[in-house]
Amino acid sequence: MTDSRQLVDTLKRVLKSQGITYAEVAKRLGLSEARGERRV
């Protein structure tokens, strides 16, 4: 597994464990929800 893929997988696990949605991440980053899902 590449380092970047491992980082993304870890980020997804942490977000899920904290109950944070892609929509919330996108909003905090100033992105649309769809764009946030593609980035994460």
Side-chain angles (χ1 to χ4, degrees), residues 15-35:
L15 291 172
K16 186 174 182 176
S17 73
Q18 297 294 315
I20 300 171
T21 65
Y22 290 136
E24 291 174 280
V25 172
K27 183 177 179 181
R28 292 179 189 191
L29 295 174
L31 304 171
S32 69
E33 181 177 353
R35 185 171 206 125

Side-chain angles (χ1 to χ4, degrees), residues 1-30:
M1 182 179 295
T2 66
D3 289 341
S4 59
R5 184 75 242 162
Q6 187 175 6
L7 178 62
V8 169
D9 289 345
T10 300
L11 177 59
K12 286 180 177 185
R13 279 196 306 276
V14 170
L15 291 172
K16 186 174 182 176
S17 73
Q18 297 294 315
I20 300 171
T21 65
Y22 290 136
E24 291 174 280
V25 172
K27 183 177 179 181
R28 292 179 189 191
L29 295 174

